[in-house]
Every structure is written in structure tokens, then in C-alpha cells.
């Protein structure tokens, strides 16, 4: 309880400054200190990926990062994906393709896919590659097919849009 | 006329989940919440000599042993002489019976502090020899004192006296043993609960990640000796259950007890290690089977000796008999078995107790029957699909030797279609072989009794017998509808599918229907969601209740439009007179009149627009054929499922999106059980699979695209014609994959999971 550190981080564009224990994980900071409960905890040992957020644009397991390591960083969570009431193309594709059932792993998959699509930068969709990427996270409900289809469909749409 | 049943209606649930605005238990944090951490046993079997809480109490807000809580326990009872009830203490008092069994609990202001304090609890153990192997459990020390042979339930079912003669004289007798590994349901959200005292209602309100809120309430009430009204259980969004959450966890009751005692909110969130080592498991079973076949491939008789490793305790409320009873009753499955005998035993071991994990024994019994078909075909040099065809039930209703009356299905048709849809697979196998791989094709056929109502469940003789469910449908003054149900979805999309059923009855849009579920104060006593029961029983009750409201609306419309009720139909938000365009009154207008201007309506049209109805069917029978094509790398022994086809018949499909999603998710769990997942324990009862590094849940890289084809044979026993379908994917997949492996290797594996080193050992001679 004694080892407190003052950190500042930006979450979905909003700045936060708070004191956290050094051992406190980023996901606990986000969920319980800052109230971004959209990010979920599935295993706390970096396998399931339910806690995936973007840290300075890169997908990370927020259960394997300490809050203090995010000091000065920009964090994106699932709450930051929609534009007001308008779901992002990826969120819409997840619903259309039935890429979620219980919804618990969904925020992690969305953030993972968001990072992949950003990195892909409009290159055409490649199902094998998408499968390999989303294999980073675990889903217990869907059998993954909807998730793969959703990501592929957004990749294809974005590739088309970028000409 | 729009019909919503059968439409691919997008899910109402998706919006909040996609925004991260679902509300799971751990998302709630009332001010002043205390966090519980459990002290758990490092031994599989030990006597507790002392528990010292002194150091822990210095840093924690509270620390408690079983005695501090009054030695509470959960007791699940089967009212049969062949069953021995065993108490499951909430916290072990004098001895522990499996690793990770809780023996004490501490609470602190922060989960980190609670874990720190839990580490300061000092327990003195006197370890004892553990019973860990199902086959030798009878010779080991008693898991519960007074338990001889460690057999908790021993049932001889359908003991046909002709069977020995049939087995002695049949042209072909297949004798084999089958095993399936212990597996975890592994929902992505583990178990979770948050309890707080509410002074206003004088209740402890317990938010639990559960499939069965009413049974959690009953469990808490019985364990703590409280009237049920003093407890309100709410299941908020539930991150998967798969059966793990259809029983009551001891931790959930402890948390409620602590909130009552401390008058502060108390939360416990299971971590993944606890989920793998301390939560309920499933499916560890052994079968010794003899089957007699005629020379033409017809099965003549079947005898099975079934043992299920049920772990250390009976799970509340269903007891540990769930697996042995299901297996012994339903082994014949989709096949015409004229003579049958089964012995089903539940064997206690020093491992965590089992719960009814998705499929409940049916993945195993289907595996047994499908392997028998293959083995008989091999002996008779017949095509294995033809042997199946000779044996599949083909006339309905069919009176089974297991005292089951099967309603209409499409057993032969599903096999025929699956064969047709996989006709290019042999060529695909050749292609794989030309790349140096081994390849094979496997099928499985099954019938799955779903939506068991009280008439069927009562045959199990549980002290608490599930089956019925009740729905309440009420329309508000704007014409929108709230439905409450005792079923409790955890990812299946009930908010959408129930709305489709109700919308069809009322002629309104599903968007105007809200489902409320998972709250014991809000809903009639109900049995929650398990056993593929929800859309048939809960949805059936909702459909019936909506039908009553629809007749209320038609009566009002008949009065307003001055026609006979029988001439009124409800569609697209209005009551219309058949054949008279323009003669209509909107549902919203009728709702407004009933609520705000009832004096304008005749007596029998006032105070209406709501109804409560129950459903309690005997059960429905879904069926399917699964087919898998696997490739095997002869260098690594790795098995890969390349293609997968499901032809399934769950009667009327309410929402194809939802049904396909359930099937695919189920198949993924079945493939996992066949190839990857197994909870491993050493001879001392120590788990070797305590993290997801060791327990291999499949990813998108392991699960192939799954092609689904639907046949629709409506059930006569359900309101909508729908049959339950939540478990079928899991039921069919292990047998199909195992048969494909055996086809590829020319092997005779009769167990799951089949692991790479076993494949390598077997494929040595087949390269």
C-alpha cells in the first residue's frame, strides 16, 4: 500500500492523472480506478486477450502491463470505438456476422482487430492472415467464424475505399 | 404478413456489448465494497489440524473459517436408495477433499489487499492418501467417511433379461472400452458474485454470474437457513456458462453470508487459476460396452457399464447423478436398440466436483455408439454409413427401449444430406495425401433430447426437480411490451429470439419487445437456462402468454371495429379486419385506451393486456449428423480439422443467425474435447493444468469454418415447433473427429482427447 506512484495517461482522448500502486495492472487502473469497464479480464496471465487495449496504437494485454508503465501513454479502449451513437464499421460488422454471443471477449477482439486493420492500411483482405491474427485471443462462444468474417469484411471494405 | 420467427433479426444484445457497455458482475462496484479472497487447500486429501487467522486479521477487514460462519453446507439429494447424499461444506472444516477446496475467506477493501491477507492465513494439514483414478477408486480410501467403494450413485437401468442370451448367440459381438477426459467449461468470464444488504427491502441482493438465479437463491436460503424472500439474486450480463454456472458455487453462498454479516457489499471474482482448479468440471467417464449385431448390421442388443468421475461432492441442486443417469438412460441415442442394459455409477474422487457441462454425457454416449457402428462395419466388411442407416430410428413416434418416446425427427435424412454435402471429401483427402499428410473422414449421428420438462425430469427423482418455466407478458400504455421469464440467457441472444416469438403473436415489431430475465424478484420461480431448454420452455411460455394478450387485443379491436373477434388479425402494429382494407385500429391506440380510458371499453376488455403462462413439455428431440475431415502431420502427430459439416434439425428455427452461432460454438468445444482440452491430475491429485498455458483452449487457428445445413421437423411438444439446440454442436463433434482420425490412421482409438504423441505412436506403421 505504500508504493504509490502518480501517473498521467490519456484514455480515448481524455486525460487522467491519478496515484496507483506500482503493482497495479493497467486493466485494473482502467476498469476500477477510471471506470472504463468495457475492457474485460479473462485470465490475468496474458493468454485469452479479453483485456486487449491499444497503448500508443499497439495492442497490448492490459493484464500484463502495470499502470505505471502506461504513464504518459495514450490508451484506446472499446468505449472509444463508436462515434457517438454510430458504431464503427468494425463494430457493425461484428453484429452483422454474429461475431459475438456472450460479449465478454468482444472488446478484446475489437481492439485487436482495430490495430490489425490500422496496420494493414487498406491492403486487401486475406482470410488466412486474419485467422492467424485473431488467434491471439480466445472466444468460447462463436467458434470464431463470425469474428474472422467480420474482420475480413471490414478489411475488404477499407481496401475498396482506399482504392 | 411479417413473420419474425425464422428471420435473421440482428441481436438486440450486440449494441451494448460492442460499445463495452455490457454490465457484468465485476463492472459493478458499490461504494464501500469489500473484496473476498479464499484460502484454498494445497492438498487433494488432508485433515485440517488448525487454521490460524490472527496475522491475516491484522491486515484484512475480516477473516473467517467454516466454524465462524456456523459450518454451513450445500446438500443436493436424489431420492433413490442407490444414491448417497454428501454434504458440500461452503468452507471445509475438518478435512479437504480436493486441491483448491476453500477452507477460509478473508475480506479487504481492495482485491490486492485481500490476496495479501489470504497468504497470511496459516493452516496445519495432515495429508492423507488421495483417490484420483476412476478405475481404482473403489479400492482407495473413502472420500467421504462411510462411503464404501467410493460409489455415490449406482444405477442399473433397463435390465433386459434377454440380453445375455442375445450377446451369447449374436453373429457379431463388439466389445470395447471408451474413455473421455476431464474438461473445463471455461467461460471467458469466470464465476463472479457481488452481494449487498438492502435495508429498504430487507434483503441481501446477490449479483451472480449464473444461469440459474432462482436455484442460487434457494441454495443460499437452504445453506444459511433463511426465508427465500430475504434473498434477491440477479444475473446481470453473464459471460458464458456452458453448464458451469447452472449449479450453485460455494463461494457465491459465502459471499452472501458475508454481506449479511458485515452489512457491506462483498465481491468475489474468480480468477482463471481458480476457474481451472476449483470450479466444477465435466465429462471424465469410462465405458465398458458389449454390443450384439446381426449379420446384416442391425444392432440386436447393448450392455454398458458406465462410470463417471464425479469428483469430491454432488453439485447443488442437480447432484452428481446427472452424468451417470444421462449416460445410462440415453446411450442408445438415435439408434433402434431392441435389448438394453446399463449400469451407471458416479464415483467419488479427490478432484473438484462435476457440473452438467454442455452436452452432459451425450458427447460420450454418441462417441460410444458411433464407434460401435464403425467397429461393427469393420467386422462385417460393410459400409459404416450403411450400418448406421440400418439402425437409425425411422418411424415416429418411436418407443425406445430406454422408456423414451422419441418425437418426429429426420435421422436418416440428415445422414443422407451430410453424405451428399461431403461427396467431394474423398478427393480432398487424396489432395492432402499427395502433400504428404494423412487424411480421413468421420461421421456421427445423434438424437438429443432437449427441453426436459417436469414429467421427464421427475423420473430422475431429484429432491429439486426442474422442468417448468413461466413467462409474464405485459403491454404498456404506448403499446410496447415487457416479457419476463425464468430462463436466464448467457450469450444465446434470448433478448432477440424471445422478442421474435412475442412479436409474431402480437403483430408488432421485435424492437417493441423487451425481455427481462435473471432477477428472482422480477420473474416467477423458474429453472434458468441449461439443457437446451430456454427457447422451447421459456420461449414457449412467452409465446403462450403473448397469445393470451393477443386475444385480449382482438377482443378490444372487435368491439372498436364492430366485427367478430374471429375476423380480426394482428399484423404490423395494428388489428385489422380480414378482407376489409382500411378497417383497423393500432395496437398503440388500444394500449392507450386500456390504460388511460378504460371506461370507454366494455367490462371484459378492461384491465387486460397482460398474461402469465407456464410451459412444461415432456421434452423435444433435436437431431443432427456431423462430418469431419481431418489431416494429420505424420511428423508431429498434429491433427487438423480441415472441413466440417453439420446437418441439423432443431425443428422451427427462430433466428438462423443465433442457431448457426450456437452450432459453431458447440462444435468448437467438441473439437476441443477431441483434440486439445484435458484437465490433468497427478496420482496425488495435484492439477497440472492450472493456467491457459497448460489447458489448451482452441483459437481461430484450430477451428475450421463450419458449414451448416438445416432440416426443419417441427416438434409437436413446443409452442413454436422449435426444439432445443444449445448443446448439439458439442455432442456431435468428438465422435466425428475421432472417427476421422481413426479413418486417417487405420487406428482404433476409443478415447478423447487424442493427443499428438498417441497419434505418432499409432501412425508409425501407417506412413
Amino acid at each position: 500500500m505504500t508504493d504509490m506512484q502518480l501517473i498521467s495517461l490519456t484514455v480515448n482522448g481524455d486525460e487522467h492523472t491519478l496515484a496507483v500502486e506500482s503493482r497495479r495492472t493497467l486493466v485494473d487502473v482502467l476498469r476500477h480506478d477510471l471506470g472504463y469497464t468495457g475492457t474485460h479480464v479473462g485470465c490475468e496471465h496474458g493468454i485469452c486477450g479479453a483485456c486487449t487495449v491499444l497503448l500508443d496504437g499497439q495492442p497490448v494485454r492490459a493484464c500484463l502491463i502495470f499502470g505505471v508503465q502506461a504513464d504518459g501513454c495514450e490508451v484506446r479502449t472499446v468505449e472509444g470505438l463508436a462515434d457517438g451513437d454510430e458504431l464503427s464499421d468494425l463494430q457493425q460488422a461484428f453484429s452483422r456476422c454474429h461475431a459475438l454471443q456472450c460479449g465478454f471477449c468482444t472488446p478484446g477482439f475489437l481492439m485487436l482487430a482495430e490495430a490489425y486493420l490500422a496496420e494493414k492500411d487498406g491492403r486487401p483482405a486475406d482470410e488466412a492472415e486474419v485467422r492467424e491474427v485473431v488467434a491471439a485471443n480466445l472466444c468460447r462462444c462463436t467458434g470464431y467464424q463470425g469474428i474472422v468474417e467480420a474482420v475480413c469484411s471490414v478489411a475488404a471494405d477499407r481496401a475498396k475505399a482506399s482504392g | 404478413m411479417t413473420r419474425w420467427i425464422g428471420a435473421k433479426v440482428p441481436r438486440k444484445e450486440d449494441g451494448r456489448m460492442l460499445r463495452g457497455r455490457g454490465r457484468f458482475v465485476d463492472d459493478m462496484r458499490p461504494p464501500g465494497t469489500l473484496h473476498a479472497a479464499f484460502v484454498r487447500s494445497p492438498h487433494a486429501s488432508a485433515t485440517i489440524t488448525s487454521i490460524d487467522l490472527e496475522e491475516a486479521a491484522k491486515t484484512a477487514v475480516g477473516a473467517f473459517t467454516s466454524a465462524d460462519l456456523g459450518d454451513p453446507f450445500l446438500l443436493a439429494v436424489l431420492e433413490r436408495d442407490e444414491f448417497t447424499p454428501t454434504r458440500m461444506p461452503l468452507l471445509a472444516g475438518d478435512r479437504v477433499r480436493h486441491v483448491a477446496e476453500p477452507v477460509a475467506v478473508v475480506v479487504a477493501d481492495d482485491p490486492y489487499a485481500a490476496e495479501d491477507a489470504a497468504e497470511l492465513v496459516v493452516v496445519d494439514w495432515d495429508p492423507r492418501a488421495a483417490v484420483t483414478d476412476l478405475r481404482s477408486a473403489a479400492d482407495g480410501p473413502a472420500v467421504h467417511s462411510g462411503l464404501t467403494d467410493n460409489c455415490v450413485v449406482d444405477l442399473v437401468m433397463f435390465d433386459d433379461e434377454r440380453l445375455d442370451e442375445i450377446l451369447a448367440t449374436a453373429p457379431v459381438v463388439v466389445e470395447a472400452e471408451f474413455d473421455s477426459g476431464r474438461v473445463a467449461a471455461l467461460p471467458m468470464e469466470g464465476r463472479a458474485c457481488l452481494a449487498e444488504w438492502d435495508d429498504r427491502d430487507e434483503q441481501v441482493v446477490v449479483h451472480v454470474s449464473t444461469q440459474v438465479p432462482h436455484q442460487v437463491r434457494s441454495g443460499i436460503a437452504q445453506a444459511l437457513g433463511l426465508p427465500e424472500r430475504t434473498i434477491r439474486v440477479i444475473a446481470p450480463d453473464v459471460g458464458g456458462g456452458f453448464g458451469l454456472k447452472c449449479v450453485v458455487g460455494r463461494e457465491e453462498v459465502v459471499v452472501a453470508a458475508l454481506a449479511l454479516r458485515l452489512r457491506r457489499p462483498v465481491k468475489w471474482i474468480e480468477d482463471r487459476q481458480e476457474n481451472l482448479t476449483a470450479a466444477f468440471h465435466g465429462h471424465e467417464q469410462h465405458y465398458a460396452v458389449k454390443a450384439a449385431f446381426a449379420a446384416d448390421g442391425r444392432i440386436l442388443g447393448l450392455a454398458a457399464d458406465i462410470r463417471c468421475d464425479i469428483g469430491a461432492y454432488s453439485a447443488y441442486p442437480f447432484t452428481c447423478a446427472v452424468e451417470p443417469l444421462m449416460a445410462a438412460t440415453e446411450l442408445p441415442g438415435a439408434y433402434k436398440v431392441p435389448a438394453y442394459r446399463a449400469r451407471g455409477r458416479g464415483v467419488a474422487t479427490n478432484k473438484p466436483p462435476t457440473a452438467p457441462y454442455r452436452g452432459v454425457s451425450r458427447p460420450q454416449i454418441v462417441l460410444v455408439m458411433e464407434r460401435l457402428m464403425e467397429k461393427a462395419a469393420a467386422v462385417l466388411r460393410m459400409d459404416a454409413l450403411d450400418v448406421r442407416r440400418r439402425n437409425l430410428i425411422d418411424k415416429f413416434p418411436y418407443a425406445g427401449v430406454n422408456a423414451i418416446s422419441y418425437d418426429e425427427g429426420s435421422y436418416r435424412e440428415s445422414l443422407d444430406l451430410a453424405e451428399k454435402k461431403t461427396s467431394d471429401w474423398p478427393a480432398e483427402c487424396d489432395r492432402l495425401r499427395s502433400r504428404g499428410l494423412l487424411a480421413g473422414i468421420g461421421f456421427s449421428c445423434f438424437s438429443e433430447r432437449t427441453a426436459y420438462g417436469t414429467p421427464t425430469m421427475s423420473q430422475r427423482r431429484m429432491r429439486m426437480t426442474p422442468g417448468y418455466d413461466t413467462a409474464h407478458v405485459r403491454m404498456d400504455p404506448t403499446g410496447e411490451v415487457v416479457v419476463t421469464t425464468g430462463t436466464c440467457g448467457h450469450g444465446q441472444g434470448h433478448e432477440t429470439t424471445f422478442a421474435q416469438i412475442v412479436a409474431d403473436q402480437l403483430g408488432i415489431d421485435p424492437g417493441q419487445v423487451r425481455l427481462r430475465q435473471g432477477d428472482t424478484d422480477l420473474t416467477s420461480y423458474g429453472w434458468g437456462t441449461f439443457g437446451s431448454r430456454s427457447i422451447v420452455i421459456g420461449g414457449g411460455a412467452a409465446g403462450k402468454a403473448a397469445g393470451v394478450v393477443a386475444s385480449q387485443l382482438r377482443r378490444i379491436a372487435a368491439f372498436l371495429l364492430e366485427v367478430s373477434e374471429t375476423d380480426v388479425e394482428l399484423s404490423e402494429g395494428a388489428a385489422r379486419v380480414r378482407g376489409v382494407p382500411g378497417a383497423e385500429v393500432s395496437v398503440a391506440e388500444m394500449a392507450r385506451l386500456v390504460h388511460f380510458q378504460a371506461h370507454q371499453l366494455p367490462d371484459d376488455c378492461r384491465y387486460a393486456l397482460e398474461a402469465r403462462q407456464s410451459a412444461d413439455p415432456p421434452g423435444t428431440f433435436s437431431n443432427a449428423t456431423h462430418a469431419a475431415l481431418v489431416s494429420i502431420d505424420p511428423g508431429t502427430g498434429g491433427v487438423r480439422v480441415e472441413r466440417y459439416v453439420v446437418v441439423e434439425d432443431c425443428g422451427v428455427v427462430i433466428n438462423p443467425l443465433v442457431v448457426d452461432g450456437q452450432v459453431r460454438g458447440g462444435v468448437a468445444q467438441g473439437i476441443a474435447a477431441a483434440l486439445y482440452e484435458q484437465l490433468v491430475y497427478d496420482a496425488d491429485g495435484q492439477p497440472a493444468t492450472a493456467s491457459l498455458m497448460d489447458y489448451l483452449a482452441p483459437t481461430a487457428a484450430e477451428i475450421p469454418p463450419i458449414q451448416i445445413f438445416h432440416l426443419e421437423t417441427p416438434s409437436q411438444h413446443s409452442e413454436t415447433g422449435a426444439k432445443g439446440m444449445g448443446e448439439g454442436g458439442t455432442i456431435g463433434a468428438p465422435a466425428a473427429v475421432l472417427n476421422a482420425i481413426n479413418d486417417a490412421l487405420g487406428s482404433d482409438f476409443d478415447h478423447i482427447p487424442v493427443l499428438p504423441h498417441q497419434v505418432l505412436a499409432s501412425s508409425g506403421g501407417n506412413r
Side-chain angles (χ1 to χ4, degrees):
Chain A
M1 298 298 276
T2 52
D3 179 24
M4 301 294 281
Q5 306 282 333
L6 197 65
I7 61 167
S8 294
L9 67 173
T10 307
V11 184
N12 304 329
D14 292 332
E15 282 179 38
H16 300 274
T17 298
L18 72 164
V20 297
E21 263 193 282
S22 296
R23 64 173 175 171
R24 195 160 179 82
T25 60
L26 175 60
V27 72
D28 284 345
V29 171
L30 289 170
R31 286 178 51 78
H32 297 303
D33 299 337
L34 301 177
Y36 295 96
T37 55
T39 302
H40 296 149
V41 179
C43 73
E44 290 181 284
H45 52 267
I47 304 294
C48 80
C51 65
T52 303
V53 298
L54 303 188
L55 192 69
D56 289 338
Q58 292 298 310
V60 298
R61 313 289 212 209
C63 74
L64 294 185
I65 300 260
F66 293 115
V68 292
Q69 291 175 281
D71 186 22
C73 293
E74 195 159 317
V75 181
R76 275 190 84 197
T77 71
V78 67
E79 287 95 339
L81 285 183
D83 182 6
D85 284 344
E86 182 78 5
L87 292 175
S88 73
D89 53 353
L90 184 64
Q91 288 169 310
Q92 290 177 34
F94 263 58
S95 185
R96 191 172 63 243
C97 300
H98 196 38
L100 67 156
Q101 288 182 25
C102 79
F104 193 82
C105 70
T106 307
F109 273 102
L110 286 170
M111 300 319 290
L112 174 71
E114 195 58 45
Y116 164 70
L117 290 165
E119 188 180 286
K120 205 168 162 54
D121 197 23
R123 279 182 290 118
D126 173 347
E127 192 194 318
E129 187 179 271
V130 167
R131 254 184 202 281
E132 199 177 308
V133 168
V134 300
N137 286 15
L138 292 178
C139 166
R140 197 59 164 170
C141 297
T142 61
Y144 300 108
Q145 190 160 334
I147 296 171
V148 172
E149 282 170 12
V151 178
C152 284
S153 108
V154 175
D157 288 349
R158 289 194 189 176
K160 206 193 269 173
S162 70
Chain B
M1 206 168 133
T2 310
R3 184 174 143 90
W4 294 106
I5 288 178
K8 283 188 179 180
V9 176
R11 297 201 323 164
K12 290 162 175 272
E13 293 86 345
D14 290 353
R16 67 176 186 276
M17 296 301 177
L18 290 165
R19 289 183 166 84
R21 290 191 195 151
R23 189 171 50 163
F24 298 91
V25 172
D26 193 36
D27 299 341
M28 290 177 265
R29 196 175 224 196
T33 295
L34 293 171
H35 298 265
F38 288 88
V39 179
R40 296 181 182 277
S41 170
H43 300 289
S45 178
T47 306
I48 300 169
T49 16
S50 72
I51 301 178
D52 182 352
L53 300 177
E54 199 180 326
E55 282 303 307
K58 285 180 189 167
T59 63
V61 173
F64 308 90
T65 63
S66 179
D68 295 330
L69 300 182
D71 292 320
F73 58 88
L74 285 164
L75 182 66
V77 179
L78 200 66
E79 292 176 326
R80 286 175 180 266
D81 291 341
E82 311 96 318
F83 176 81
T84 308
T86 50
R87 289 179 174 194
M88 180 163 74
L90 300 190
L91 299 172
D94 52 357
R95 66 179 282 197
V96 289
R97 295 184 174 84
H98 65 84
V99 170
E101 178 160 12
V103 299
V105 62
V106 302
V107 288
D109 289 315
D110 174 274
Y112 291 64
E115 288 188 23
D116 289 345
E119 287 188 3
L120 299 176
V121 174
V122 179
V123 185
D124 277 335
W125 311 94
D126 186 5
R128 304 155 62 122
V131 178
T132 55
D133 179 35
L134 171 62
R135 297 177 197 228
S136 59
D139 304 321
V143 174
H144 290 269
S145 51
L147 199 63
T148 51
D149 298 346
N150 280 318
C151 190
V152 182
V153 60
D154 187 349
L155 299 154
V156 177
M157 319 272 291
F158 317 107
D159 191 2
D160 193 319
E161 57 192 22
R162 301 169 302 166
L163 197 57
D164 291 328
E165 173 72 18
I166 291 168
L167 286 166
T169 56
V172 175
V173 174
V174 177
E175 196 169 343
E177 296 190 27
F178 304 88
D179 289 280
S180 80
R182 177 170 274 251
V183 288
L186 208 77
M188 293 320 298
E189 181 203 29
R191 296 179 299 155
C193 51
L194 164 69
E196 59 182 320
W197 176 254
D198 181 333
D199 267 314
R200 185 163 179 264
D201 292 326
E202 296 194 316
Q203 279 183 320
V204 59
V205 181
V206 195
H207 288 86
V208 188
S209 184
T210 183
Q211 303 167 224
V212 290
H214 277 97
Q215 285 69 62
V216 174
R217 188 182 78 181
S218 295
I220 294 170
Q222 289 171 20
L224 304 182
L226 298 168
E228 293 224 5
R229 68 163 170 76
T230 61
I231 303 149
R232 178 182 184 184
V233 174
I234 299 172
D237 284 322
V238 174
F242 313 113
L244 167 63
K245 297 174 185 172
C246 82
V247 293
V248 181
R250 38 180 48 176
E251 295 89 347
E252 295 153 15
V253 189
V254 168
V255 164
L258 294 175
L260 272 167
R261 183 187 182 110
L262 302 169
R263 290 293 197 264
R264 283 181 68 177
V266 180
K267 185 195 269 191
W268 171 69
I269 304 298
E270 181 178 68
D271 68 24
R272 190 53 63 185
Q273 183 179 340
E274 289 179 301
N275 179 255
L276 287 165
T277 61
F280 304 91
H281 298 156
H283 293 182
E284 183 170 7
Q285 302 184 358
H286 172 80
Y287 292 72
V289 177
K290 284 183 196 171
F293 287 85
D296 65 357
R298 277 180 303 115
I299 189 163
L300 300 173
L302 178 64
D305 187 359
I306 302 159
R307 281 181 289 178
C308 304
D309 180 337
I310 60 96
Y313 300 101
S314 264
Y316 178 97
F318 302 130
T319 82
C320 66
V322 169
E323 286 198 352
L325 260 170
M326 176 73 85
T329 307
E330 306 210 355
L331 176 61
Y335 297 105
K336 294 176 282 192
V337 174
Y340 180 51
R341 175 200 303 144
R343 182 180 184 190
R345 279 177 283 181
V347 179
T349 59
N350 291 112
K351 287 183 270 188
T354 53
Y357 173 39
R358 197 175 195 175
V360 186
S361 292
R362 278 147 323 163
Q364 288 68 37
I365 61 181
V366 169
L367 186 147
V368 169
M369 294 306 291
E370 294 305 304
R371 292 296 305 137
L372 289 176
M373 294 298 145
E374 296 282 329
K375 287 168 189 283
V379 175
L380 293 164
R381 297 177 185 279
M382 287 176 66
D383 179 89
L385 295 188
D386 286 341
V387 173
R388 287 178 174 85
R389 283 192 184 91
R390 298 239 158 135
N391 288 299
L392 281 170
I393 296 167
D394 51 2
K395 286 194 177 65
F396 302 92
Y398 176 79
V401 68
N402 46 0
I404 291 174
S405 175
Y406 293 69
D407 76 4
E408 200 78 17
S410 54
Y411 302 11
R412 287 279 294 269
E413 295 86 339
S414 67
L415 177 57
D416 292 345
L417 186 57
E419 189 179 24
K420 197 170 142 202
K421 294 295 181 186
T422 57
S423 58
D424 62 332
W425 283 15
E428 175 68 14
C429 285
D430 288 342
R431 268 194 297 278
L432 289 162
R433 288 185 194 113
S434 72
R435 286 167 40 201
L437 298 167
L438 301 164
I441 297 168
F443 286 84
S444 73
C445 301
F446 64 91
S447 159
E448 171 199 7
R449 184 158 55 165
T450 56
Y452 297 68
T454 315
T456 305
M457 281 291 195
S458 62
Q459 291 163 16
R460 293 192 184 170
R461 295 189 234 157
M462 282 175 270
R463 179 173 287 173
M464 292 174 68
T465 301
Y468 60 86
D469 241 292
T470 304
H472 183 205
V473 171
R474 75 199 131 132
M475 186 171 276
D476 71 18
T478 56
E480 302 222 331
V481 171
V482 173
V483 181
T484 66
T485 174
T487 56
C488 183
H490 43 283
Q492 299 92 335
H494 290 175
E495 291 168 40
T496 311
T497 48
F498 276 60
Q500 288 176 259
I501 293 170
V502 169
D504 268 357
Q505 290 287 336
L506 296 172
I508 58 177
D509 189 280
Q512 295 176 291
V513 182
R514 288 299 307 175
L515 182 72
R516 305 295 301 276
Q517 55 184 341
D519 184 334
T520 57
D521 267 18
L522 206 61
T523 66
S524 299
Y525 200 98
W527 284 92
T529 290
F530 58 86
S532 298
R533 68 192 300 280
S534 292
I535 217 62
V536 178
I537 306 181
K544 280 165 78 174
V548 173
V549 176
S551 64
Q552 292 165 351
L553 287 170
R554 279 194 293 267
R555 194 184 313 148
I556 296 165
F559 166 76
L560 295 172
L561 300 169
E562 298 179 336
V563 294
S564 157
E565 260 177 73
T566 52
D567 291 333
V568 177
E569 65 180 18
L570 297 166
S571 71
E572 286 162 37
R576 301 165 203 277
V577 182
R578 262 189 213 97
V580 186
E584 61 180 68
V585 55
S586 74
V587 169
E589 171 62 7
M590 290 187 283
R592 188 189 66 80
L593 276 173
V594 165
H595 287 88
F596 297 152
Q597 300 205 301
H599 58 279
Q600 294 197 10
L601 298 171
D603 285 353
D604 68 348
C605 291
R606 293 183 197 171
Y607 321 119
L609 302 190
E610 71 176 306
R612 194 180 295 273
Q613 291 282 305
S614 298
D616 198 6
T620 52
F621 288 79
S622 296
N623 66 271
T625 296
H626 285 210
L629 188 162
V630 304
S631 69
I632 297 174
D633 181 332
T636 65
V639 178
R640 192 172 173 76
V641 181
E642 301 277 353
R643 310 271 289 268
Y644 204 97
V645 160
V646 175
V647 180
E648 74 91 45
D649 187 342
C650 65
V652 171
V653 172
I654 306 293
N655 185 332
L657 268 182
V658 168
V659 168
D660 288 358
Q662 288 285 305
V663 171
R664 292 196 171 106
V667 168
Q669 278 174 322
I671 290 174
L675 296 177
Y676 306 108
E677 294 184 15
Q678 184 170 22
L679 290 156
V680 177
Y681 281 80
D682 73 9
D684 296 324
Q686 290 292 334
T689 39
S691 82
L692 293 176
M693 293 288 278
D694 312 303
Y695 188 81
L696 301 179
T699 72
E702 285 80 47
I703 302 301
I706 294 153
Q707 265 192 299
I708 302 168
F709 302 94
H710 298 285
L711 300 172
E712 281 200 26
T713 312
S715 170
Q716 305 302 311
H717 295 299
S718 74
E719 177 74 17
T720 55
K723 303 172 177 181
M725 50 70 54
E727 298 163 279
T730 311
I731 290 169
V737 172
L738 185 62
N739 278 336
I741 294 170
N742 284 325
D743 182 46
L745 296 172
S747 56
D748 203 19
F749 286 124
D750 287 325
H751 71 270
I752 52 171
V754 174
L755 301 172
H757 72 271
Q758 296 161 336
V759 169
L760 277 183
S762 170
S763 62
N766 288 285
R767 281 183 176 188

